[in-house]
Amino acid sequence: AQSVTQLDSQVPVFEEAPVELRCNYSSSVSVYLFWYVQYPNQGLQLLLKYLSGSTLVESINGFEAEFNKSQTSFHLRKPSVHISDTAEYFCAVSVGGSNYKLTFGKGTLLTVNP
Amino acid sequence: NAGVTQTPKFQVLKTGQSMTLQCAQDMNHEYMSWYRQDPGMGLRLIHYSVGAGITDQGEVPNGYNVSRSTTEDFPLRLLSAAPSQTSVYFCASSYDARYTYEQYFGPGTRLTVT
C-alpha cells in the first residue's frame, strides 16, 4: 500500500521569502502525485499534479514541484510567497491504474507573515 | 452550476443520535466520495461510489453508511453517533473514477458529537 509523509506540520515564513514544503511517498509501483491547497474554511483544490512526462510541474500561481523517483519525493516550492498563499497544503498519492483512492499526507500549514 | 453542495454546514449531536449529511453535485459526475478531516491526520476516505447504485468502503468506513440512488446525491448516514466521529466531513466528486485526483470538494460539514 502507498503512503505519504509530509515532514513539516507547520512552516512560517515572511512575505517574499522562498518556501519549500516537503513530501515523501512510499510505493512499490508507479505512482501519480498531487498537491492540494485548502484555504481557511474551504474545501481542497488541486494545485498541481504529476502523472507522467516532465518531472517538474508548475501551477498557475507560481508554485512548482519536482518528482524525484530515486528519493521518492515530490517537494513543493515557491521562490517568493505572498500573504494570500497562507493555507494548508496536502500532498497526495495514487497508485498507477487505481485512481479510485487517493492517499493524503497529514498536511503542512503554511503561514506567510508580513 | 452550484458544484458540490453539502448540508448542514454545522451540526451538534448527542452520543447515540443518528443523522444524515447531505451531498449533491450538478456536474453529472460519476464518482463521488466522502472524507473526514481531523487535525494532524489529513483526509481519510470513508466511502466512495463509482456510479449510481454502486458504493464501496474506504479507509475508515465503520459507523457510516452510504447509498447512491441517483447520480446527483450521495448522503452519508451516521448510525449511532460517537464522540470519535467529531470531525469535518468533505464530500467530493469527479467526472470519472479514473480521475479522482480532479475531484471537486464541497465546503464541508463541521460535526461535533457530545
Side-chain angles (χ1 to χ4, degrees):
Chain A
Q2 67 268 27
S3 66
V4 177
T5 302
Q6 290 184 245
L7 297 159
D8 306 294
S9 59
Q10 297 187 53
V11 174
V13 296
F14 288 109
E15 195 172 18
E16 297 184 6
V19 71
E20 178 180 80
L21 307 184
R22 297 180 292 169
C23 172
N24 286 91
Y25 69 92
S26 67
S27 174
S28 58
V29 297
S30 62
V31 296
Y32 301 145
L33 292 158
F34 314 94
W35 277 99
Y36 289 81
V37 59
Q38 184 181 31
Y39 297 105
N41 299 313
Q42 294 186 26
L44 275 69
Q45 304 171 37
L46 181 63
L47 185 62
L48 46 76
K49 63 189 181 216
Y50 169 77
L51 303 180
S52 65
S54 173
T55 57
L56 184 65
V57 291
E58 298 177 354
S59 72
I60 58 172
N61 58 353
F63 283 94
E64 64 178 32
E66 185 160 21
F67 170 54
N68 188 319
K69 188 174 181 179
S70 62
Q71 298 190 0
T72 61
S73 68
F74 191 57
H75 301 332
L76 182 69
R77 301 184 183 95
K78 189 170 185 180
S80 175
V81 293
H82 303 290
I83 299 281
S84 59
D85 292 323
T86 294
E88 190 150 24
Y89 292 79
F90 293 92
C91 185
V93 63
S94 173
V95 173
S98 64
N99 273 343
Y100 290 11
K101 299 178 186 178
L102 284 172
T103 299
F104 287 88
K106 295 183 178 181
T108 298
L109 179 61
L110 172 65
T111 303
V112 182
N113 299 301
Chain B
N1 193 332
V4 179
T5 58
Q6 291 183 239
T7 55
K9 289 191 176 178
F10 302 94
Q11 183 71 48
V12 179
L13 289 179
K14 292 193 164 114
T15 297
Q17 287 184 316
S18 63
M19 80 159 295
T20 299
L21 307 185
Q22 300 292 346
C23 173
Q25 52 89 9
D26 61 358
M27 298 173 282
N28 201 31
H29 284 175
E30 286 189 6
Y31 181 88
M32 296 185 75
S33 58
W34 277 102
Y35 294 88
R36 60 178 288 173
Q37 183 179 29
D38 302 293
M41 298 292 290
L43 271 76
R44 293 180 291 170
L45 182 65
I46 305 172
H47 286 284
Y48 65 95
S49 168
V50 300
I54 306 169
T55 63
D56 205 347
Q57 296 180 351
E59 184 184 353
V60 288
N62 292 341
Y64 308 95
N65 263 357
V66 292
S67 60
R68 183 100 179 267
S69 56
T70 67
T71 299
E72 295 79 18
D73 301 299
F74 191 45
L76 178 73
R77 296 183 190 84
L78 279 69
L79 309 172
S80 176
S84 60
Q85 294 179 303
T86 293
S87 188
V88 181
Y89 292 85
F90 289 99
C91 179
S93 73
S94 64
Y95 174 74
D96 186 297
R98 293 169 296 173
Y99 306 107
T100 56
Y101 54 83
E102 297 270 20
Q103 290 185 79
Y104 292 81
F105 283 80
T109 294
R110 189 174 295 273
L111 175 69
T112 302
V113 182
T114 60

